[in-house]
Amino acid sequence: MKKNPDYTVVYSDDDMVVLNKRSGLLIAADRYDADAPRLDLEAEKEFGKLFAVHRIDKDTSGIVVYARNPESHRAISYQFEQRTVRKTYHCLVNGHPSWEQLTVTLPLLPDGDDRHRTVVNKRVGKPSKTDFMVAGSCGPYTWIKAYPHTGRTHQIRAHLQTTGFPIVCDPLYSGNQHPVLLSDFKRKWNGDTANERPLLNRLALHAYKIELDHPKTNVRMSFEAPYPRDMEAVRNQLSKLFGVDPLGEDAGMTNLD
């Protein structure tokens, strides 16, 4: 079977599908860009009708869950409404936070400015909560794991911006659009900087893991989405040079609820 360049299948049965999507794909229809490429339309060619139960940003790569029938759609959506679904994101930021763990609870207002960004608004913003943990610093960067309790648009990106450590190559929330180049952190790099290809030049945010109950059996299930090629290249190089791996056993936290 020919591989689909837009996604890989993590899990599927008669009730749900779990996909690992590439960066640059919408999860469902978007009122601001009706013609943008969509994951659901592409995946429906393989699975038939799909029902969206949550969203991740177009520029974010990683794990996405769809229901395959109305009953499963109701059951999974209810879990998201009740906030019993646990989500884990991995991201790379510029600089080194002074904190090891941080919880941000600033209220957020989606589509809060003329660039359709999510902004902090203490008057009319929606309650929002994200736990952050430093997974390790490496050269000019730091790996961070994010655990959103709520599901606001751009929540992780907006909350990280308020800490002063926006995500690498974030086109909306970071003023630094410098791509990740091997020459920036490998001392004995002897290539041609004029023609160097970036290891990564898009939003460095990946939806890595999701835990939820199966919509029919109620059995708790956990799914992980391997890093895409560009993010894996960055992880590999930083791990070799600095000994820091966000996928390592000790680079995570499990005690935040």
Side-chain angles (χ1 to χ4, degrees), residues 32-210:
Y32 302 115
D33 192 352
D35 299 322
R38 285 170 49 184
L39 176 64
D40 59 341
L41 296 182
E42 186 62 34
E44 282 180 348
K45 297 175 184 177
E46 179 175 356
F47 296 101
K49 176 64 176 177
L50 297 176
F51 301 81
V53 294
H54 70 124
R55 292 175 182 260
I56 65 174
D57 300 342
K58 179 183 75 171
D59 296 327
T60 303
S61 59
I63 210 151
V64 179
V65 178
Y66 289 105
R68 298 190 69 180
N69 53 66
E71 295 76 19
S72 295
H73 181 237
R74 285 193 293 270
I76 300 175
S77 296
Y78 182 75
Q79 293 181 59
F80 278 96
E81 292 169 7
Q82 296 300 306
R83 299 176 186 171
T84 61
V85 178
R86 182 171 172 82
K87 297 163 286 183
T88 303
Y89 289 74
H90 292 184
C91 61
L92 192 69
V93 303
N94 290 296
H96 309 108
S98 60
W99 41 268
E100 290 295 322
Q101 296 185 5
L102 180 70
T103 296
V104 179
T105 57
L106 294 169
L108 297 176
L109 178 64
D111 197 13
D113 65 12
D114 57 1
R115 296 183 66 190
H116 306 300
R117 291 182 295 189
T118 295
V119 300
V120 173
N121 189 312
K122 295 182 179 180
R123 185 173 61 87
V124 296
K126 297 180 179 180
S128 307
K129 179 181 178 181
T130 314
D131 292 323
F132 294 106
M133 188 217 63
V134 170
S137 294
C138 35
Y141 308 109
T142 298
W143 286 107
I144 288 179
K145 296 187 178 184
Y147 304 81
H149 292 254
T150 47
R152 311 304 176 204
T153 301
H154 297 175
Q155 176 175 316
I156 293 171
R157 299 162 69 180
H159 271 172
L160 268 178
Q161 183 191 41
T162 70
T163 72
F165 295 94
I167 299 171
V168 167
C169 291
D170 190 329
L172 289 176
Y173 298 90
S174 175
N176 183 359
Q177 292 301 297
H178 186 68
V180 178
L181 300 171
L182 186 58
S183 60
D184 286 340
F185 55 85
K186 188 174 184 179
R187 293 180 179 179
K188 295 183 179 180
W189 190 81
N190 298 315
D192 179 7
T193 55
N195 296 309
E196 182 181 5
R197 296 182 62 181
L199 294 174
L200 183 145
N201 60 0
R202 55 92 176 174
L203 178 70
L205 178 62
H206 181 70
Y208 177 69
K209 184 177 181 179
I210 195 164

Side-chain angles (χ1 to χ4, degrees), residues 90 135 145 208 224-227 232 235 244-251:
H90 292 184
K145 296 187 178 184
Y208 177 69
E224 294 180 355
Y227 284 9
E232 176 62 18
R235 185 194 70 83
V244 172
D245 187 350
L247 301 182
E249 291 183 2
D250 297 328

